[in-house]
Amino acid sequence: LTKDRYPVKRGNYAIINDQDVAKFESILEKHRVITGEETQGYNIDWIGSVRGSSNVVLKPKTTEEVSEILKYCNSRKIAVVPQGGNTGLVGGSVPVFDEVVISMSLMNQIERIDEYSGIVRCQSGVVLEALEANVREKNLCVPLDLGAKGSCHIGGNVSTNAGGLRLIRYGNLHGSVLGVEAVLANGQIMNLMSNFKKDNTGFHLKHLFIGSEGSLGIVTKLAIHCPTAPQAVNLAFVGVENYQNVLDTFLLAKKELGEILSSVEMIDELSLGCSTTMCNIQSPLQTYPFYMIFETSGSNNAHDEEKLTNFLNNAMEKSLVADGVVTNESAKMKTIWEMRERIAESLLKMGYCFKYDISLPLSHFYEIVPVLRERVGDLAKIVCGYGHVGDSNLHLNVLCDSFNKEIYSLVEPFVFEYTSKLNGSVSAEHGIGFHKPKYLHFSKSKEAIDMMRQLKTLMDPNEILNPYKVLPPLNK
Ligand code: FAD
């Protein structure tokens, strides 16, 4: 399937032989070198869009083991793909051909949680939800939350510079991650760990590993600043009649909720219909063209609740919001979040989904959805949009029964051209991965892509790290 959809040629890499496997077994314990049938799950991505044919999965536990593995692979020119929780949505976490998978799942130790500074040091394979549970014990929270939290790794989050539901409050990982330790393609360990928010000692090399999707090195450890956990969380879920009102309600929320605003999401009617139907969730509101979720996180519940209730009343008085509910009951908040977080999973259950994750100016944020709906007509079952409107990030989805070349040619490169004309980003938060290298030029200048390539050559001259991903092929 992969080869039909994405014609790529296998690079000039070594083919794994018995001596290679024996070498890996000498670096790791034998049971941490997986071969045969058991490698299946590591070869296919979350949305089932890329299927590799790797026969070897390695599970290191220490930085030194990662270093030994890469040193050997580099000397033999064996291609590798780093894999975290394998929840990435751009086909970056699985092999395209027979690359060796380096699974970070056993590198899951939390080294230190400093409750005074809020700085947490851990290995990169800690599952986000587990990290959150651990830091909560010290009254801290991870400055990142996303629907895949039960499986994704903090190292995968760093490698994709994941955004998520609370970016509007805590900013992105370039700010929160204070340092990383990474292993380069030749096995060299780069200690770029730092315990300070303020550390202006020359070039900030850590940024090269945040969002480079395993193409420049394998992140083995990181230090992340975790803010104090909120004492009070409140949620408003509202129904809105049109997109202009979505925008004006967002503006009102920023003005009235100010520093306690921690999430602003938008969901269109069809997207909400998917999660409520497929996951059997009862929405507290009747049907509206748009829905919004506003979350506040603060330190005084009475104060926050009053602010959120006043905001909702004002929004309704101004006829911006047609109906809405405010709650701080955990079961009700969970249901509201589930309606948002389970849309991706629901779409996947309903058929094949072309998924786009784009940044667009808010003035044009939603218009691509009806434009695309008209363009694909009856060929698609559903064209819908939802996302982090507070961060100008739209998740655009085209659902059909199965992969369909006709629809594919109607949506790509159209979506990227459309985005580029509006000076948007062809990848807001999911990354470039395997799906989008050929569209990178829609968001990056030739000079910027050239410099990316020079850095790749410097750091991974044999191009063994995650080949076919992120950078466009040289002849493009
Ligand atoms: P993987 O999928 O395993 O890998 C992703 C990329 O990072 C690959 O290129 C891989 O090679 C590389 N990589 C992984 N670990 C390392 C490492 N230690 N060192 C070097 N490279 C590495 N994303 C968002 O940004 N915001 C969201 O709100 C969001 N919601 C999601 C909801 C659902 C239901 C799902 C399924 C996904 C969602 N995602 C979201 C996408 C995905 O969860 C994120 O991209 C996440 O950060 C990937 O983490 P992972 O550990 O699963 O990485």
Side-chain angles (χ1 to χ4, degrees):
L1 275 175
T2 301
K3 318 297 177 295
D4 278 358
R5 259 181 248 171
Y6 306 102
V8 279
K9 210 168 147 264
R10 186 181 181 281
N12 189 20
Y13 298 106
I15 292 173
I16 303 281
N17 58 34
D18 290 348
Q19 280 99 319
D20 296 322
V21 175
K23 175 69 185 179
F24 294 138
E25 287 176 351
S26 76
I27 298 172
L28 306 175
E29 295 157 293
K30 201 171 174 181
H31 70 272
R32 291 193 279 127
V33 177
I34 318 288
T35 54
E37 270 299 295
E38 264 186 80
T39 58
Q40 289 285 318
Y42 300 86
N43 270 298
I44 185 145
D45 66 330
W46 194 82
I47 39 175
S49 66
V50 182
R51 187 192 294 271
S53 51
S54 177
N55 278 319
V56 181
V57 176
L58 306 178
K59 294 192 160 184
K61 279 185 175 172
T62 65
T63 304
E64 289 67 31
E65 287 177 351
V66 175
S67 166
E68 284 294 302
I69 292 167
L70 287 185
K71 199 166 155 193
Y72 178 74
C73 289
N74 195 43
S75 71
R76 279 267 298 129
K77 222 176 164 221
I78 292 171
V80 304
V81 49
Q83 190 173 93
N86 198 11
T87 67
L89 299 174
V90 287
S93 53
V94 289
V96 178
F97 295 96
D98 54 350
E99 300 90 278
V100 167
V101 177
I102 303 185
S103 164
M104 304 304 284
S105 56
L106 299 182
M107 294 193 61
N108 56 4
Q109 299 303 305
I110 299 174
E111 217 170 78
R112 184 153 187 239
I113 302 175
D114 182 338
E115 59 191 314
Y116 293 102
S117 64
I119 291 158
V120 174
R121 292 166 71 102
C122 65
Q123 284 186 305
S124 59
V126 181
V127 170
L128 179 59
E129 200 168 57
L131 188 62
E132 177 71 22
N134 276 275
V135 303
R136 282 279 166 163
E137 287 174 18
K138 303 266 183 177
N139 201 26
L140 300 170
C141 68
V142 182
L144 170 84
D145 188 19
L146 56 148
K149 56 182 159 269
S151 307
C152 66
H153 296 180
I154 188 68
N157 301 146
V158 170
S159 303
T160 55
N161 187 26
L165 301 162
R166 308 226 156 74
L167 190 133
I168 195 168
R169 174 67 168 270
Y170 300 117
N172 72 24
L173 291 173
H174 282 286
S176 312
V177 172
L178 305 182
V180 300
E181 176 193 76
V183 181
L184 301 186
N186 64 5
Q188 193 181 328
I189 299 170
M190 292 293 292
N191 182 346
L192 306 170
M193 294 291 274
S194 173
N195 285 333
F196 301 103
K197 278 184 166 179
K198 292 190 161 189
D199 183 9
N200 284 347
T201 47
F203 301 171
H204 288 228
L205 296 176
K206 68 172 181 192
H207 292 298
L208 288 173
F209 301 96
I210 303 173
S212 53
E213 302 173 62
S215 62
L216 298 180
I218 297 192
V219 177
T220 44
K221 275 188 198 168
L222 55 108
I224 184 166
H225 178 256
C226 292
T228 303
Q231 304 303 304
V233 177
N234 284 271
L235 216 56
F237 178 61
V238 305
V240 183
E241 294 288 3
N242 57 58
Y243 178 68
Q244 186 56 47
N245 285 0
V246 168
L247 270 189
D248 291 334
T249 310
F250 173 40
L251 201 61
L252 188 72
K254 284 202 283 188
K255 190 171 147 228
E256 297 206 352
L257 301 172
E259 76 292 346
I260 59 169
L261 190 59
S262 55
S263 196
V264 181
E265 295 290 310
M266 184 219 76
I267 309 168
D268 72 5
E269 183 183 342
L270 286 176
S271 303
L272 194 90
C274 293
S275 60
T276 49
T277 310
M278 298 306 290
C279 303
N280 201 15
I281 306 171
Q282 181 65 46
S283 167
L285 301 180
Q286 3 158 317
T287 308
Y288 291 99
F290 296 95
Y291 301 89
M292 296 181 81
I293 298 176
F294 295 94
E295 185 197 69
T296 62
S297 304
S299 55
N300 182 323
N301 197 49
H303 164 270
D304 294 2
E305 200 176 0
E306 188 187 336
K307 260 184 146 176
L308 193 58
T309 309
N310 285 344
F311 154 70
L312 181 58
N313 289 340
N314 287 342
M316 287 176 81
E317 244 167 54
K318 290 177 194 293
S319 302
L320 296 176
V321 158
D323 195 8
V325 290
V326 167
T327 183
N328 52 29
E329 281 176 47
S330 54
K332 286 187 180 157
M333 293 199 292
K334 188 166 172 267
T335 303
I336 292 170
W337 274 127
E338 267 187 338
M339 290 192 293
R340 161 64 182 85
E341 293 186 46
R342 298 186 71 181
I343 299 170
E345 166 198 337
S346 306
L347 282 161
L348 213 62
K349 282 186 198 157
M350 294 165 76
Y352 185 87
C353 192
F354 293 93
K355 304 179 79 61
Y356 302 95
D357 158 52
I358 50 186
S359 280
L360 290 168
L362 283 178
S363 50
H364 296 277
F365 185 73
Y366 191 73
E367 70 188 21
I368 191 171
V369 179
V371 166
L372 200 61
R373 200 172 280 149
E374 189 165 342
R375 190 173 162 85
V376 297
D378 293 343
L379 287 171
K381 284 185 3 181
I382 289 177
V383 177
C384 62
Y386 63 94
H388 315 293
V389 68
D391 310 313
S392 305
N393 175 191
L394 179 74
H395 295 322
L396 172 64
N397 294 274
V398 180
L399 181 76
C400 39
D401 286 322
S402 56
F403 177 78
N404 177 320
K405 275 192 175 160
E406 203 181 343
I407 299 187
Y408 180 47
S409 64
L410 284 172
V411 287
E412 290 188 30
F414 176 79
V415 168
F416 301 114
E417 284 166 354
Y418 197 98
T419 304
S420 176
K421 275 187 200 139
L422 292 167
N423 293 319
S425 170
V426 297
S427 172
E429 58 174 8
H430 293 162
I432 296 297
F434 181 57
H435 292 169
K436 299 186 209 161
K438 65 178 175 183
Y439 302 123
L440 189 59
H441 68 277
F442 283 115
S443 284
K444 278 230 160 16
S445 68
K446 182 185 173 304
E447 293 73 21
I449 296 175
D450 284 349
M451 188 176 260
M452 283 171 68
R453 192 176 295 290
Q454 284 166 22
L455 283 166
K456 173 76 175 171
T457 305
L458 177 76
M459 296 169 75
D460 178 18
N462 288 330
E463 302 204 7
I464 63 160
L465 285 168
N466 225 356
Y468 326 107
K469 322 273 174 65
V470 187
L471 281 160
L474 258 180
N475 56 357
K476 290 267 152 152

